Amino acid sequence: MSTLENAMTDVAYVKIHPAIGIARVGNSDKFFYGPESPDEPPMTPGFSKDGSAAVKRQAARFRVYGYDENGNVLGEVKHGQDGATVTWTAQLANKKAAWYKFSLALDIPDAKDLPDEQFARRNADIADRGALKNTPSAQSITGLGRSGKVFDKGTVDGTAVYLGELRTDEAGRLVVLGGKGHSDSFTDPKTALTTFGNNEGWYDDISDGPVTAEVKIGDKPFEAKLAWVVVGPPNYAPDVKGIVTLHDLLYDLFVRNGDLPFPAKVTFDEHIKPLLLRFTGHQWVNEGFAAEFGWRAPNDFTSPQVLATLGSGKPQYRDLRQRVYYSMRNYKRDGVSPLPWPWLYGDAMSSRPKSPLQHGVLTQTQEKLLELWVEGKFDDTTLRTPRPELDKAPLALQPGLLDRAALDYCLADAFHPGCEVTWPVRHLTLYQEPFRILHRTGGQDPDYGPYLTPDKALADDGPLHAQGPGDLTRWMGIPWQTDTASCRSGYELAANIGPRYSPYLPSFWPARVPNQVLKEEDFDVVNDENGTDDQREQAFARRAVWHRFLDRDKLKGLQNMVDWWAKFGIVETHPYTAGDKKFPDHILAESTPGLPQVNDRRNLVNVHVPEAGPAAPDAAWRTDVNQQAVDEVTRNTEFDPEEISAGYIANVDPFRDSG
């Protein structure tokens, strides 16, 4: 009997990890595994797309670990090894078209000010609600290197929509692949796109659902602790982490509830430095962050000198630590001011700000860590050991690394609605234990009536409890591409755009959907040691608008993203090889897009115009109003008309009917 098999005789229970796995859509037949350690090194440039320039799918891979009665990890349970068998079952579903419209997160006070109509059902004129739910049957799979279990039998109003498939790897672990990024209208004639996230008559192939495993070790059967899989949009900046990640959000949730401990010892290297580096990491996806936190900028947190002072617990550096903490947003102190950090939109973002939630904040746990850091109550000598390869990490750490890695590359702010999931995930009632979704079994989906108001959503019998297939992603925008087209930076009314206007800040989700990027051709100039310093510095400072290929008319741009999403560039990590230390050791640049070249600053300025009224809702009216806005901004600023994108933007106008 092997050592591992001997250990497995002491297994008291088994769990699936990651507790929440993240897959992503792609239109390539090739795929890769999503991050399995938060410290994985970047992939080589070109990795995210295949040779035909199609986007690879990100697969979520699940493993089973055995635990003893004291909660100690005994080992990974692999099918066919040490007398073990593992049979996996998973189900994917998409219920977006049958769910309710998104206007605001329903758990924030501002949502109570909205009229019921903004909480109405999508596609309310279709009586058969079940016909709008793409819910193919669960699939089971076991063995080594298996495939062929496909979720392709579901339909939306009679239109078949493929959601993904199951495979196993060479060790019998479960591999979940999502959809191909396909979206379309299911009506005849097709319905035009009109909004960022509530498009009637449309479907997409985003999905989510439960993952279970029946395990047998020798003659002893186990039902594994359940997991969940979420299929999200592509990650257009895979090496950039959000300021507040989904892991940060959930960790804070469970710490505040007492389910997880606050760190027994706060260390600079593990708890403070990574947060600061995320601000500097945003230089590659947003030009405003580059000016403040980028290479040799005032707050370049990669600078050895800056890290040496901020990482020291000596009392003479307390004021420097305090300055950083003082810059972080506090709602009571700052109200709707856009100036405090982080420079990101919040859950109640609006073109007519009414709430402090206009902008985002750190979690309470992040705040507490920073407070202890400012006070000097932290360890400034202990270095964190990175774990770039999961299988080489100590066994006891592997389940936690899997759980964290999956969530570390997902966003928490702003839930408007969000990238991968949205606001319900911050409610404890969704979980059976930390990071593990509570499953709903059997029966029909509850019916909440024609309007899902905040009171209904937050009620004891509301939707924030045990979840069924498709329940997490049903809240998201439909189709996903229209939200991706709309999450930009610097949204403002024409009348407010003047000398102090920034087209870069604040921003929606730049870590997943970039705003302004360094082009690959400019990186080549920077990396050429034979160029002049001035040429290289100019190239390094240049940023192109990532959304530049979309039509300047916002509505036309929505359809552009549906058609072209796979042709956009992906921000990738390049080694700086010139060797002269004049630029960062690693530089992130946009891969060459598969679209015709356009003005690099096109769509830089995002102007919000009024919604078309009932007396004049036609396209001619909209075009005239949009042009008036462009003309006004051009008169009042130095922006070129080609740089200005104007239009009615529903996601920045949630309070349109609430006074």
Side-chain angles (χ1 to χ4, degrees):
M1 181 179 291
S2 69
T3 303
L4 179 58
E5 187 176 359
N6 185 59
M8 288 302 176
T9 62
D10 296 326
V11 169
Y13 59 91
V14 296
K15 290 185 178 184
I16 302 170
H17 294 278
I20 302 175
I22 304 296
R24 296 183 185 274
V25 299
N27 63 335
S28 172
D29 291 331
K30 296 181 179 180
F31 69 91
F32 63 96
Y33 299 127
E36 297 185 320
S37 168
D39 303 319
E40 285 187 5
M43 296 298 183
T44 57
F47 174 83
S48 296
K49 293 190 178 185
D50 64 20
S52 66
V55 175
K56 295 177 185 175
R57 283 185 284 180
Q58 175 178 303
R61 180 162 61 172
F62 294 88
R63 308 173 186 225
V64 172
Y65 283 84
Y67 294 77
D68 68 17
E69 60 184 8
N70 297 315
N72 299 308
V73 183
L74 297 176
E76 183 183 353
V77 182
K78 298 180 181 179
H79 181 87
Q81 294 186 23
D82 305 303
T85 61
V86 181
T87 300
W88 299 94
T89 300
Q91 187 171 8
L92 296 177
N94 179 308
K95 299 175 179 175
K96 289 184 179 183
W99 196 234
Y100 296 86
K101 296 177 182 178
F102 180 88
S103 290
L104 281 180
L106 300 183
D107 60 348
I108 64 175
D110 309 272
K112 293 184 178 293
D113 295 335
L114 303 184
D116 284 355
E117 179 54 35
Q118 289 186 238
F119 309 126
R121 286 171 166 155
R122 292 168 175 158
N123 301 294
D125 58 335
I126 297 179
D128 185 358
R129 308 307 293 171
L132 297 172
K133 300 176 183 178
N134 185 348
T135 54
S137 300
Q139 298 282 342
S140 297
I141 193 169
T142 188
L144 311 181
R146 300 295 177 86
S147 61
K149 300 293 186 175
V150 183
F151 298 101
D152 62 352
K153 298 295 189 282
T155 62
V156 180
D157 201 38
T159 300
V161 183
Y162 165 90
L163 292 182
E165 58 192 85
L166 304 183
R167 302 186 181 194
T168 59
D169 71 1
E170 68 283 352
R173 306 177 183 114
L174 178 65
V175 177
V176 181
L177 290 166
K180 295 293 188 74
H182 180 65
S183 305
D184 205 348
S185 171
F186 57 77
T187 62
D188 185 17
K190 292 186 177 182
T191 305
L193 296 165
T194 60
T195 178
F196 78 105
N198 295 308
N199 288 287
E200 303 286 276
W202 276 75
Y203 66 82
D204 65 22
D205 57 2
I206 296 298
S207 64
D208 70 278
V211 174
T212 64
E214 294 182 1
V215 179
K216 183 175 285 189
I217 302 174
D219 295 327
K220 189 174 181 181
F222 296 88
E223 289 287 339
K225 277 287 183 93
L226 313 173
W228 206 268
V229 62
V230 172
V231 180
N235 186 346
Y236 289 104
D239 300 326
V240 180
K241 291 187 180 181
I243 306 290
V244 180
T245 71
L246 188 55
H247 179 268
D248 293 329
L249 178 84
L250 298 188
Y251 177 69
D252 173 71
L253 177 70
F254 297 122
V255 167
R256 287 188 288 109
N257 194 56
D259 300 306
L260 291 175
F262 185 83
K265 179 175 68 173
V266 177
T267 69
F268 179 77
D269 204 55
E270 180 174 2
H271 300 111
I272 307 301
K273 179 181 174 181
L275 174 62
L276 301 181
L277 291 179
R278 292 179 195 171
F279 281 85
T280 293
H282 273 57
Q283 70 178 301
W284 309 116
V285 290
N286 180 278
E287 193 163 354
F289 276 86
E292 178 69 25
F293 304 103
W295 175 247
R296 295 179 176 169
N299 287 292
D300 176 6
F301 293 124
T302 64
S303 163
Q305 293 80 10
V306 172
L307 288 175
T309 53
L310 293 180
S312 171
K314 293 180 179 179
Q316 60 263 40
Y317 298 128
R318 188 185 192 282
D319 287 347
L320 294 177
R321 300 192 297 270
Q322 177 68 44
R323 180 186 60 81
V324 171
Y325 181 49
Y326 183 80
S327 298
M328 302 295 177
R329 179 171 290 105
N330 176 278
Y331 284 143
K332 185 176 181 180
R333 178 194 68 181
D334 302 317
V336 298
S337 171
L339 298 180
W341 306 348
W343 292 329
L344 301 172
Y345 287 124
D347 290 352
M349 186 273 177
S350 170
S351 64
R352 295 174 287 174
K354 295 180 62 175
S355 165
L357 300 181
Q358 173 79 5
H359 303 106
V361 293
L362 302 181
T363 69
Q364 292 182 37
T365 299
Q366 288 174 316
E367 289 267 357
K368 185 176 179 181
L369 290 167
L370 288 174
E371 289 173 4
L372 293 171
W373 171 62
V374 169
E375 294 169 6
K377 298 176 180 178
F378 69 100
D379 181 340
D380 60 1
T381 59
T382 301
L383 298 181
R384 177 180 178 272
T385 302
R387 306 293 180 184
E389 296 182 59
L390 176 75
D391 292 332
K392 293 183 179 180
L395 181 62
L397 300 181
Q398 290 180 18
L401 289 173
L402 283 165
D403 288 350
R404 176 167 185 166
L407 302 176
D408 244 10
Y409 292 89
C410 298
L411 298 187
D413 289 329
F415 283 148
H416 197 82
C419 281
E420 298 87 7
V421 290
T422 189
W423 64 272
V425 299
R426 60 188 173 205
H427 288 262
L428 283 165
T429 51
L430 258 66
Y431 300 92
Q432 53 179 304
E433 65 181 39
F435 308 114
R436 207 168 291 275
I437 299 293
L438 183 64
H439 292 210
R440 186 179 77 245
T441 57
Q444 298 293 317
D445 291 343
D447 184 347
Y448 300 103
Y451 304 102
L452 184 62
T453 63
D455 288 341
K456 286 185 180 180
L458 301 175
D460 290 341
D461 59 351
L464 304 184
H465 299 274
Q467 301 292 288
D471 283 3
L472 290 185
T473 55
R474 62 187 173 179
W475 305 85
M476 308 304 292
I478 182 169
W480 67 267
Q481 292 98 330
T482 54
D483 205 9
T484 299
S486 303
C487 53
R488 308 188 194 181
S489 59
Y491 282 111
E492 190 54 86
L493 299 169
N496 296 336
I497 296 180
R500 294 193 178 188
Y501 164 73
S502 169
Y504 316 122
L505 302 167
S507 169
F508 272 124
W509 314 318
R512 296 286 72 80
V513 183
N515 304 139
Q516 300 88 30
V517 295
L518 180 71
K519 295 168 64 175
E520 191 169 31
E521 63 191 61
D522 282 327
F523 166 74
D524 291 338
V525 174
V526 173
N527 202 36
D528 181 4
E529 57 188 275
N530 295 318
T532 68
D533 285 353
D534 188 60
Q535 288 172 331
R536 298 168 71 197
E537 289 169 1
Q538 286 189 41
F540 184 80
R542 268 196 299 272
R543 295 293 189 270
V545 177
W546 188 80
H547 284 99
R548 63 192 180 275
F549 304 102
L550 302 182
D551 196 287
R552 290 170 51 227
D553 181 294
K554 288 286 194 287
L555 294 187
K556 293 179 181 177
L558 301 181
Q559 185 63 53
N560 292 160
M561 186 61 79
V562 168
D563 297 335
W564 301 338
W565 65 270
K567 297 182 180 182
F568 278 71
I570 294 178
V571 177
E572 303 170 321
T573 301
H574 296 255
Y576 176 63
T577 59
D580 54 15
K581 301 297 182 182
K582 292 183 177 179
F583 297 97
D585 291 339
H586 293 88
I587 296 175
L588 278 62
E590 173 200 53
S591 64
T592 302
L595 293 162
Q597 290 189 14
V598 296
N599 186 325
D600 284 348
R601 307 300 271 179
R602 188 184 187 195
N603 290 327
L604 173 65
V605 178
N606 290 289
V607 185
H608 181 67
V609 302
E611 184 176 20
D618 58 24
W621 181 91
R622 188 182 76 241
T623 300
D624 185 53
V625 171
N626 291 355
Q627 188 59 52
Q628 289 176 23
V630 171
D631 292 343
E632 181 178 350
V633 173
T634 303
R635 284 194 305 270
N636 296 335
T637 69
E638 295 182 356
F639 292 114
D640 186 274
E642 182 71 7
E643 298 176 321
I644 303 168
S645 174
Y648 173 71
I649 312 157
N651 62 320
V652 302
D653 197 20
F655 304 118
R656 56 191 177 275
D657 297 321
S658 58

